[in-house]
Amino acid sequence: MALFERFGEFDSVEELNMTAEGLKEEGDLESLKVLAEENGLDAADAEDYADGIVTELASDLMAAAGKIAVESKALGIDGIMSDWKDTVIEECAEDKAFCAAVRKKGKYLKEYMAKLIQYSFENKVPVSAEILKITKVKHNGKLENFNGPLYLGIPNRMEVRKIARKYYLGE
């Protein structure tokens, strides 16, 4: 399913829950499930909401984490970028304002990732020749010594958090 294909992108958890309330009042469980899926929530969440087990489809954290999950899947996020994505979820778990910022229209995981990659290139440093001379890499099916130079600029955890807060909150 394409991002926000049927119901569009919501600017807040309140908008998402208002739409869910309308679908619940209409008794449209199938559309409620589609709404949940489009927003990174489980069909079971939609069923619990429709059955009155919970009073809203999504909490602040669920809505933010759901948006990140949908975007991450569409982008094929993996490796170090998965760690960077998880930092956004951690920030959401600690800060309700961060959840709201993530949910905002115009704030996208791909743009946050681009900022981290830009930071990586702008802050790369050479890897020591002592490390490189013992590093083995697979080349043409054979394990060979790495033939440098090599530069890395992967941001540390604190920088990742700082970039996330600056992008999503403007701090």
Side-chain angles (χ1 to χ4, degrees):
M1 177 177 289
L3 287 178
F4 316 117
E5 183 177 290
R6 181 161 167 204
F7 290 96
E9 182 181 3
F10 293 100
D11 199 43
S12 67
V13 66
E14 292 81 13
E15 285 183 9
L16 173 61
N17 283 328
M18 284 175 34
T19 301
E21 181 64 26
L23 294 171
K24 180 180 175 182
E25 286 175 6
E26 293 171 10
D28 191 350
L29 180 59
E30 288 310 307
S31 292
L32 195 55
K33 287 179 181 179
V34 171
L35 175 67
E37 182 183 328
E38 261 190 20
N39 286 277
L41 306 170
D42 291 329
D45 294 326
E47 290 171 3
D48 287 349
Y49 175 66
D51 292 341
I53 295 170
V54 294
T55 59
E56 59 188 9
L57 177 62
S59 66
D60 294 310
L61 178 57
M62 289 170 66
K67 181 179 179 187
I68 293 298
V70 168
E71 291 178 301
S72 178
K73 184 177 179 183
L75 294 169
I77 297 296
D78 202 3
I80 189 67
M81 290 192 302
S82 184
D83 289 346
W84 294 346
K85 171 208 42 115
D86 291 346
T87 298
V88 173
I89 304 301
E90 291 165 12
E91 287 291 314
C92 287
E94 295 173 11
D95 185 350
K96 189 173 179 171
F98 199 88
C99 288
V102 165
R103 192 70 234 194
K104 284 276 188 206
K105 286 182 183 177
K107 292 294 181 177
Y108 302 107
L109 186 62
K110 65 183 177 184
E111 292 178 8
Y112 162 67
M113 292 293 172
K115 290 185 179 309
L116 287 163
I117 291 168
Q118 179 180 347
Y119 175 94
S120 296
F121 275 97
E122 291 173 354
N123 291 279
K124 65 184 184 279
V125 295
V127 175
S128 165
E130 290 295 310
I131 295 170
L132 293 178
K133 73 181 179 184
I134 59 174
T135 302
K136 305 276 188 205
V137 294
K138 211 172 218 181
H139 181 70
N140 294 329
K142 297 187 308 185
L143 209 52
E144 300 176 1
N145 284 355
F146 182 81
N147 191 9
L150 176 66
Y151 296 85
L152 293 177
I154 300 168
N156 65 35
R157 185 166 175 70
M158 197 54 67
E159 283 299 324
V160 172
R161 289 176 72 103
K162 188 169 138 185
I163 291 166
R165 294 192 70 79
K166 184 174 182 182
Y167 173 68
Y168 284 106
L169 291 172
E171 291 181 354

